[in-house]
Amino acid sequence: MNKELRKAVIAGNWKMNKTPQEAKELIAAIAPLVKDAGCDVVACTPFVDLSAAQEAAAGTNIQIGAENCHWAKSGAFTGEISAEMLSAMGVKIVIIGHSERRQYFGETDVTVHDRVRAALDAGLTVILCVGETLEQREQGITNELCAMQTKIALGGVSAEELKRVIIAYEPVWAIGTGKTATAEQANEVCAAIRQTIKEIYDCAAGDGITIQYGGSMNAANAAELLAQPDVDGGLIGGASLKPADFAAIVEAATKG
């Protein structure tokens, strides 16, 4: 990480886990363990947990985010939540384009772009997820694919708005599988994404954007991954539900 140029961010993605009461208990357990963090600490929770998590995180250094939002401000979209609804709740951060949304719920590069646009218009910070499948990695098109996903998602996003975008490189083959890209593999792709930002915007924008790694980062491998120059944090899945493990990752980011 290069903390002189950009912020380190460790964000938990709780996925479909925890009731509101369990969310309060988890935040309460994590908070004292990360109170001295030298990085931004975020917990992205299911929609039903947002209010409970915000209540539990009040007065701490933990920011609460959402896991998705819709591209429309309102309308006949049963079961969906708009960016304006999140903003009205005081939510500041939202994950967009997670591989599980793409894989299971029909997200496309175009709808990811539309959701990014909506979130930015509502004043939110976006954690934009990009990444390749195992087949695509074996085909040798990882960097090109992540560049394409990044370019489409950020279409029409101004340099000023880009300051509210964090990119999470999430190799699909490493999500929830226990498999992890090597530190060198992770850094290579994060560096390629950074170069893409420089090509779209300029060198300052590329140097300033936070790029996380999000493929099964855990307490055991966090320090090695976070020691890489282009890995600026992590989007943490399973380990974010374990206070001690999540705290260990935050500590690695603080020391990195």
Side-chain angles (χ1 to χ4, degrees):
M1 297 182 295
N2 190 332
K3 293 183 181 178
E4 294 181 2
L5 291 176
R6 48 194 174 261
K7 293 192 299 183
V9 181
I10 300 297
N13 174 18
W14 290 12
K15 306 189 180 185
M16 195 178 71
N17 291 290
K18 303 300 179 182
T19 65
Q21 181 56 40
E22 290 170 339
K24 288 182 180 181
E25 294 168 357
L26 181 54
I27 294 293
I30 292 172
L33 302 179
V34 301
K35 62 182 178 63
D36 297 320
C39 62
D40 284 2
V41 181
V42 183
C44 295
T45 79
F47 292 123
V48 297
D49 293 341
L50 287 171
S51 291
Q54 287 175 316
E55 179 183 339
T60 76
N61 61 328
I62 300 174
Q63 304 173 62
I64 301 301
E67 297 178 10
N68 191 30
C69 71
H70 199 266
W71 59 80
K73 291 185 177 181
S74 62
F77 301 103
T78 302
E80 291 292 327
I81 305 293
S82 72
E84 282 72 14
M85 292 173 180
L86 295 177
S87 180
M89 291 183 66
V91 173
K92 304 295 186 185
I93 302 173
V94 61
I95 299 171
I96 301 290
H98 191 278
S99 64
E100 289 160 1
R101 298 298 310 176
R102 297 176 190 253
Q103 180 179 357
Y104 300 126
F105 303 106
E107 287 281 2
T108 67
D109 292 334
V110 173
T111 61
V112 168
H113 165 269
D114 293 345
R115 293 177 195 267
V116 168
R117 182 70 267 161
L120 291 174
D121 286 345
L124 302 179
T125 291
V126 171
I127 298 177
L128 166 65
C129 300
V130 301
E132 83 284 13
T133 64
L134 182 59
E135 180 182 15
Q136 290 162 339
R137 171 163 281 275
E138 291 174 343
Q139 291 172 339
I141 60 172
T142 293
N143 290 355
E144 293 91 337
L145 181 84
C146 290
M148 182 188 73
Q149 290 176 335
T150 299
K151 289 177 179 179
I152 294 173
L154 296 180
V157 173
S158 70
E160 187 61 29
E161 290 172 327
L162 187 69
K163 296 175 182 178
R164 289 189 283 117
V165 176
I166 297 165
I167 298 178
Y169 166 51
E170 292 212 320
V172 177
W173 50 272
I175 307 300
T177 63
K179 297 179 180 179
T180 311
T182 67
E184 291 75 19
Q185 287 173 325
N187 191 72
E188 177 188 355
V189 183
C190 288
I193 294 168
R194 194 176 308 286
Q195 181 60 35
T196 299
I197 296 298
K198 291 181 179 181
E199 293 169 2
I200 300 172
Y201 298 94
D202 55 30
C203 286
D207 287 337
I209 193 166
T210 295
I211 302 179
Q212 302 171 312
Y213 173 72
S216 296
M217 184 183 286
N218 56 50
N221 61 29
E224 182 182 11
L225 287 162
L226 294 169
Q228 299 299 309
D230 284 295
V231 178
D232 305 320
L235 182 58
I236 315 302
S240 69
L241 302 174
K242 304 173 183 177
D245 288 10
F246 188 64
I249 297 170
V250 170
E251 182 178 4
T254 298
K255 291 179 178 179

